[in-house]
């Protein structure tokens, strides 16, 4: 196992290198750069752009240098823990992302827990009561959650939260707590607002997980080992927990590679509709304005979390399912 982990860590190096090249290339594909985009926006608003200052800033931040040199400068900073400087916010990227990272992680973590708590019992019930009215009804509700766009759910929930519960529309705290240090009153305000994005973001994920749990568990319940266990008199609950349920969790463990970056990035469209101060809208705005260091460094951070998550999921799968081998080849 240690040898396998060491080899996978070594493979992360070329993977992240190729990823960094792709990220840098894609961000720089549109014509111009942040400063030219800024000048165009100022002119569109009827303001006069100071071209001499813009040229000075381009030289100051190395945008007059060829792309390979700018790429090496960016990667060298990342290796030293320097994520660069945001031109739009006039602050280091580390400070900008750090302000929103905790809030994003809270929303995403609670959403993931909500998804698991709701999806697993429903998926198990649907699989063990196949083609019953409960199975049909829960499946129908799940498909509605999967089909309705998240931004539409956000608008509906915003309306009813304001009309029925008097919760202020948008954001995760009441207006009087904005830019205020954390206190008990502010914490209560966060809890009052948190359920809205959690239910909205978790709706689609819950529906998808219900279908996955049901399909995987049904496949295991039809296998010979479970039929034999039941024929020998093993109680239904114990037989279900000991074998089929454990084997049907493989898909769940394999999704850890996607869970880690989603905790940090959050749901971008829902965050924009609900005016959440999370990292999702920040990333979209950085891509739109070609704020290279902010967008590129944040995407590299998500890529790193992805490869780490994939490694964790592979190790967890080997521990969960003894049929999985770390190395390929024939077994005797």
């Amino acid at each position: 196992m240690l040898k396998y982990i060491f080899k996978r860590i070594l493979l992360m190096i070329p993977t992240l290198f190729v990823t960094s090249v792709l990220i840098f290339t894609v961000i720089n594909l549109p014509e111009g750069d942040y400063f030219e985009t800024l000048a165009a926006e100022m002119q569109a608003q009827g303001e006069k752009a100071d071209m001499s200052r813009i040229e000075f800033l381009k030289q100051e931040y190395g945008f007059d240098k060829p792309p390979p040199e700018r790429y090496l400068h960016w990667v060298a900073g990342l290796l030293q823990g320097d994520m660069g400087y945001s031109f739009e916010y006039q602050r280091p990227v580390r400070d900008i992302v750090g302000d929103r990272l905790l809030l994003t992680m809270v929303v995403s973590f609670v959403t993931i827990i909500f998804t698991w708590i709701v999806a697993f019992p429903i998926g198990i019930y649907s699989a063990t009561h196949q083609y019953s009215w409960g199975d049909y009804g829960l499946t129908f509700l799940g498909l509605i959650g999967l089909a309705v766009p998240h931004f539409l759910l956000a608008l509906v929930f915003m309306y009813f939260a304001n009309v029925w519960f008097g919760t202020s529309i948008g954001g995760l705290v009441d207006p009087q707590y904005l830019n205020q240090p954390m206190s008990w009153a502010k914490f209560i305000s966060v809890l009052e607002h948190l359920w809205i994005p959690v239910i909205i973001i978790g709706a689609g994920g819950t529906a998808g997980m219900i279908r996955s749990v049901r399909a995987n568990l049904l496949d295991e319940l039809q296998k010979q080992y479970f039929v034999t266990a039941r024929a020998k008199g093993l109680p239904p609950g114990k037989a279900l927990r000991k074998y089929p349920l454990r084997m049907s969790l493989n898909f769940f463990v394999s999704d850890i590679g996607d869970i880690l970056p989603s905790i940090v990035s959050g749901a971008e469209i829902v965050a924009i509709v609900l005016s959440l101060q999370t990292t999702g809208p920040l990333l979209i705005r950085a891509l739109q304005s070609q704020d290279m260091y902010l967008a590129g460094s944040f995407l590299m951070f998500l890529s790193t979390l992805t490869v780490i998550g994939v490694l964790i999921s592979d190790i967890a799968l080997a521990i969960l399912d003894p049929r999985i081998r770390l190395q390929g080849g024939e077994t005797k």
Side-chain angles (χ1 to χ4, degrees):
M1 176 67 77
L2 291 177
K3 183 180 178 181
Y4 172 77
I5 295 175
F6 180 72
K7 289 176 63 176
R8 287 293 301 272
I9 292 175
L10 289 181
L11 284 174
M12 288 182 185
I13 297 175
T15 302
L16 291 175
F17 168 72
V18 174
T19 303
S20 66
V21 173
L22 292 175
I23 289 174
F24 183 85
T25 303
V26 171
I27 291 178
N28 287 275
L29 277 179
E31 295 184 1
D33 50 41
Y34 168 78
F35 302 105
E36 294 182 9
T37 303
L38 176 63
E41 290 180 355
M42 293 176 64
Q43 292 174 357
Q45 296 172 2
E47 301 179 15
K48 185 178 180 180
D50 187 353
M51 300 306 297
S52 60
R53 174 169 174 74
I54 289 177
E55 289 298 326
F56 170 77
L57 291 174
K58 292 176 69 173
Q59 295 178 6
E60 181 73 15
Y61 291 105
F63 277 76
D64 58 333
K65 297 177 181 178
E69 190 172 343
R70 285 191 285 125
Y71 167 78
L72 292 176
H73 175 75
W74 173 56
V75 172
L78 289 177
L79 293 176
Q80 297 174 9
D82 181 12
M83 301 179 71
Y85 190 81
S86 172
F87 310 124
E88 182 170 3
Y89 293 91
Q90 300 295 309
R91 295 171 59 192
V93 172
R94 183 194 302 272
D95 296 341
I96 300 170
V97 175
D99 291 343
R100 299 177 180 233
L101 190 59
L102 178 60
L103 187 59
T104 305
M105 294 178 66
V106 169
V107 174
S108 299
F109 182 75
V110 175
T111 301
I112 291 171
I113 298 300
F114 168 79
T115 301
W116 293 346
I117 291 175
V118 174
F120 275 99
I122 293 178
I124 294 172
Y125 176 86
S126 295
T128 54
H129 297 76
Q130 189 180 17
Y131 304 136
S132 65
W133 284 107
D135 180 25
Y136 285 128
L138 294 172
T139 300
F140 177 72
L141 290 177
L143 291 176
I144 290 178
L146 196 62
V148 177
H150 286 178
F151 73 88
L152 182 59
L153 278 178
L155 295 174
V156 173
F157 270 78
M158 286 172 67
Y159 172 78
F160 286 110
N162 184 259
V163 173
W164 290 355
F165 302 103
T167 304
S168 61
I169 298 176
L172 274 179
V173 293
D174 291 319
Q176 64 266 28
Y177 298 115
L178 291 175
N179 301 320
Q180 296 294 324
M182 182 58 68
S183 61
W184 180 252
K186 184 175 181 179
F187 178 73
I188 297 298
S189 180
V190 170
L191 293 181
E192 290 177 353
H193 291 74
L194 187 62
W195 65 273
I196 300 176
V198 165
I199 294 178
I200 294 169
I201 299 172
T206 301
M209 185 167 287
I210 289 173
R211 302 300 299 165
S212 298
V213 172
R214 182 181 183 276
N216 283 273
L217 190 54
L218 279 175
D219 183 58
E220 293 295 328
L221 291 177
Q222 296 172 3
K223 290 184 178 179
Q224 190 64 41
Y225 73 88
F226 180 74
V227 177
T228 303
R230 294 289 294 117
K232 289 185 175 181
L234 197 65
K238 185 176 182 180
L240 179 68
R241 292 191 306 269
K242 190 172 180 62
Y243 300 110
L245 184 59
R246 179 184 175 186
M247 296 300 102
S248 66
L249 291 180
N250 286 0
F251 85 95
F252 165 72
V253 175
S254 64
D255 282 343
I256 294 178
D258 295 328
I259 290 177
L260 284 182
S262 67
I263 289 178
V264 175
S265 62
E268 293 82 358
I269 304 301
V270 174
I272 293 175
V273 174
L274 296 178
S275 301
L276 303 181
Q277 297 298 313
T278 56
T279 54
L282 185 71
L283 175 59
I284 292 178
R285 176 56 190 167
L287 292 171
Q288 290 174 336
S289 63
Q290 293 182 271
D291 195 347
M292 190 200 96
Y293 291 115
L294 177 56
S297 299
F298 191 69
L299 288 173
M300 274 303 301
F301 181 54
L302 295 181
S303 301
T304 304
L305 288 178
T306 301
V307 295
I308 293 175
V310 171
L311 174 61
I312 294 175
S313 66
D314 289 346
I315 296 173
L317 279 172
I319 296 174
L320 177 68
D321 192 343
R323 297 173 299 178
I324 296 176
R325 297 291 179 265
L326 298 179
Q327 302 291 341
E330 298 181 356
T331 56
K332 297 182 180 180

